Amino acid sequence: MAFEKYLLATALFVSSLVASAAQPSAGLIEVRPDGRRTVFTTERLSRSDHVVAQHAGAQGDAKCCVSLRITGTQKRRTDVSDELKGRQVRAYALPPLKAADAVPFVGGALVFKAGERDSVAAERALLGGAADKTIPQVCTSSEGAHLLQLGSGGEPQAHLYMHFGYDVEPTCDEALLTRLSEAGAPK
């Protein structure tokens, strides 16, 4: 009887790992004027993990997508926070751009753990372009950028916030921001 319980517990654990493997994590990508690129996420990552991220078009608009590898960790920054669950946001270095090619940019990304990469989601993100809803949405409020991700049923999945420290033109849908803020509020 104890052995059957052990097998059941093991089967449930393995099935939960398989289910979670198919779900890439949301990330916020930042490109600095000097070409440094950073991805921010609540996940603990390693150098073998993979990022599919938006990049800046000629006018600084979001274009989809580039495939990048984690090159290392970076010091945690206090200007980026998890507004949905209050988890620690980690920063990871990505391969830099040449300074001449760099356009300052903040956009959405998906993070795939090594060995757990969902090739269908990655391909959909890489090939989907602007119409693809796989990549989390990034918009601005009056002083920063919000990364917003909803699940297939419309439930909040991620809400990261990067404070700029200066005023910008808001582009976020206020109703969506309110909905995500209420979802992240302590009960």
Side-chain angles (χ1 to χ4, degrees), residues 53-140:
Q54 293 177 320
H55 61 91
Q59 275 68 44
D61 53 327
K63 298 291 182 186
C64 199
C65 284
V66 294
S67 178
L68 304 164
R69 290 271 177 211
I70 303 294
T71 60
T73 59
Q74 291 187 341
K75 185 178 177 185
R76 185 174 180 269
R77 291 187 12 201
T78 58
D79 62 335
V80 183
S81 58
D82 176 6
E83 299 295 304
L84 188 62
K85 297 183 180 176
R87 297 171 292 191
Q88 179 182 7
V89 177
R90 302 170 191 284
Y92 298 93
L94 299 169
L97 294 168
K98 294 177 186 170
D101 297 333
V103 174
F105 176 74
V106 176
L110 292 174
V111 178
F112 297 87
K113 301 291 277 179
E116 298 179 354
R117 185 171 166 191
D118 180 348
S119 60
V120 173
E123 291 299 319
R124 190 174 343 136
L126 283 167
L127 300 174
D132 182 48
K133 300 296 184 201
T134 306
I135 298 290
Q137 172 188 348
V138 175
C139 60
T140 56

Side-chain angles (χ1 to χ4, degrees), residues 98-182:
K98 294 177 186 170
D101 297 333
V103 174
F105 176 74
V106 176
L110 292 174
V111 178
F112 297 87
K113 301 291 277 179
E116 298 179 354
R117 185 171 166 191
D118 180 348
S119 60
V120 173
E123 291 299 319
R124 190 174 343 136
L126 283 167
L127 300 174
D132 182 48
K133 300 296 184 201
T134 306
I135 298 290
Q137 172 188 348
V138 175
C139 60
T140 56
S141 58
S142 61
E143 292 184 351
H146 296 264
L147 173 126
L148 309 170
Q149 184 181 41
L150 298 175
S152 58
E155 68 283 356
Q157 296 292 310
H159 181 187
L160 300 182
Y161 175 70
M162 176 184 280
H163 181 72
F164 293 156
Y166 54 87
D167 290 342
V168 292
E169 185 68 31
T171 62
C172 291
D173 177 305
E174 285 299 321
L176 181 57
L177 270 183
T178 300
R179 183 171 157 216
L180 282 162
S181 294
E182 289 171 353

Side-chain angles (χ1 to χ4, degrees), residues 30-43:
E30 175 190 51
V31 178
R32 295 231 170 220
D34 64 2
R36 285 183 294 150
R37 291 189 281 195
T38 304
V39 66
F40 299 93
T41 181
T42 57
E43 298 296 316

